Amino acid sequence: MASAPAPPPRRVVVCGGGVVGACTAYFLSTHPASPTVPTLIEKSSPACAASGKAGGFLALDWSDSTPALSALARASFGLHHRLAAALDGANAYGFRPVHTLSICLPSQPAEPLSPHPLLPSWVDPSASAAPPRQLGTPDTTAQVHPGLFTKAVLAASGAEVVIGEVERVVVGEGCVVGVAVKGRGVVDADAVVLALGPWSGRFEMVKEVFDVSGLKAHSIVLRPRNPDKITPHCLFLSYQPEPGAKMLDPEVYPRPTGMQFLRNEQGRGCSR
């Protein structure tokens, strides 16, 4: 007797083309038992918001003081190494191990200092008010270009990308039946994944369960004149403009494609 034909794959629609949506599409499509190639809906373009402008910094053990997060962080670090091997991450999206330093900047101009052995050659020694501290080594910290990473895993998923604005999730008889896309009608679905970041809070079904909001940050990308001289060192800086002022905490992420300066609105201080 012939075996029954395999059931067709479920129709899955992923809403949001950031890193969460792209990775969801990738792992759905590569599931060893029931691979499903989803449809992904994105209003503008993949990695157009935070997923294209984040630091892309990876750490093995920085959450070890928080037991609930430690195992997740370590699993994530290992997964990034496996993804880089599978997707040629070094060339496709700038994956590489890095040295990571904490540097406190002086509030006033300082006298030139002798180079510290931890400081890379492209950092002015007078920019450090105290000896730098090592936060991570190439065995425990790494980086990716977040925008290129997002686009690489999305491309590897084979997902159909629909550019359009998600208006609502369509429900019929208590079940999800599709996603309404502005100007395009309804995309049929048996399951829907909402991966819209802070925009997820616009949906009533989400607002009833979660309080979703965004966190403002600034990001600047510089392209050095001699990029080959910029070594893979990520810098976590702390700077107080004047006594009593709020501590500022810019982060510096050199990449093969340029150097990014990122500052979150929440300060950390020199203790990190």
Side-chain angles (χ1 to χ4, degrees), residues 54-132:
F57 180 75
L58 312 171
L60 171 69
D61 53 7
W62 285 24
S63 296
D64 279 0
S65 60
T66 308
L69 297 178
S70 176
L72 180 62
R74 286 176 171 269
S76 174
F77 193 77
L79 178 59
H80 268 287
H81 278 76
R82 294 193 296 275
L83 283 173
L87 302 178
D88 189 22
N91 294 310
Y93 51 82
F95 174 87
R96 62 180 180 178
V98 295
H99 297 272
T100 305
L101 303 177
S102 172
I103 301 176
C104 287
L105 306 181
S107 299
Q108 302 296 329
E111 295 295 327
L113 301 175
S114 299
H116 190 279
L118 284 179
L119 281 180
S121 60
W122 49 272
V123 176
D124 185 350
S126 64
S128 181

Side-chain angles (χ1 to χ4, degrees), residues 11 13 15 41 165-182 184-194 203 205:
R11 298 171 300 175
V13 173
C15 301
I41 303 174
E165 182 179 352
V166 174
E167 293 186 313
R168 60 190 175 90
V169 176
V170 182
V171 178
E173 298 182 358
C175 297
V176 169
V177 296
V179 176
V181 180
K182 188 174 183 178
R184 298 180 68 99
V186 175
V187 178
D188 295 335
D190 302 309
V192 174
V193 179
L194 295 180
F203 292 88
M205 63 175 62

Side-chain angles (χ1 to χ4, degrees), residues 1-269:
M1 176 181 288
S3 59
R10 290 170 57 86
R11 298 171 300 175
V12 179
V13 173
V14 179
C15 301
V19 66
V20 174
C23 287
T24 299
Y26 176 79
F27 286 107
L28 282 172
S29 68
T30 58
H31 191 283
S34 55
T36 300
V37 179
T39 298
L40 184 140
I41 303 174
E42 163 57 42
K43 180 179 179 180
S44 180
S45 61
C48 64
S51 293
K53 299 176 176 63
F57 180 75
L58 312 171
L60 171 69
D61 53 7
W62 285 24
S63 296
D64 279 0
S65 60
T66 308
L69 297 178
S70 176
L72 180 62
R74 286 176 171 269
S76 174
F77 193 77
L79 178 59
H80 268 287
H81 278 76
R82 294 193 296 275
L83 283 173
L87 302 178
D88 189 22
N91 294 310
Y93 51 82
F95 174 87
R96 62 180 180 178
V98 295
H99 297 272
T100 305
L101 303 177
S102 172
I103 301 176
C104 287
L105 306 181
S107 299
Q108 302 296 329
E111 295 295 327
L113 301 175
S114 299
H116 190 279
L118 284 179
L119 281 180
S121 60
W122 49 272
V123 176
D124 185 350
S126 64
S128 181
R133 293 192 302 111
Q134 184 169 272
L135 299 179
T137 70
D139 291 329
T140 61
T141 51
Q143 70 176 154
V144 299
H145 185 299
L148 296 180
F149 171 76
T150 301
K151 293 173 183 177
V153 294
L154 179 57
S157 76
E160 176 189 2
V161 178
V162 174
I163 301 299
E165 182 179 352
V166 174
E167 293 186 313
R168 60 190 175 90
V169 176
V170 182
V171 178
E173 298 182 358
C175 297
V176 169
V177 296
V179 176
V181 180
K182 188 174 183 178
R184 298 180 68 99
V186 175
V187 178
D188 295 335
D190 302 309
V192 174
V193 179
L194 295 180
L196 297 164
W199 292 277
S200 299
R202 295 182 178 182
F203 292 88
E204 289 297 329
M205 63 175 62
V206 174
K207 282 196 274 188
E208 292 174 356
V209 182
F210 302 106
D211 181 14
V212 182
S213 60
L215 180 64
K216 183 180 179 181
H218 304 285
S219 176
I220 302 172
V221 177
L222 305 178
R223 302 197 183 280
R225 292 188 180 91
N226 299 304
D228 293 341
K229 295 183 178 180
I230 306 300
T231 55
H233 283 76
C234 292
L235 308 181
F236 285 73
L237 311 178
S238 295
Y239 172 65
Q240 190 174 33
E242 57 185 26
K246 178 183 176 181
M247 187 68 72
L248 305 179
D249 299 287
E251 301 165 7
V252 183
Y253 301 103
R255 297 173 179 151
T257 57
M259 182 181 296
Q260 182 185 43
F261 289 77
L262 180 74
R263 185 172 75 81
N264 195 291
E265 288 294 333
Q266 294 182 337
R268 281 189 313 274

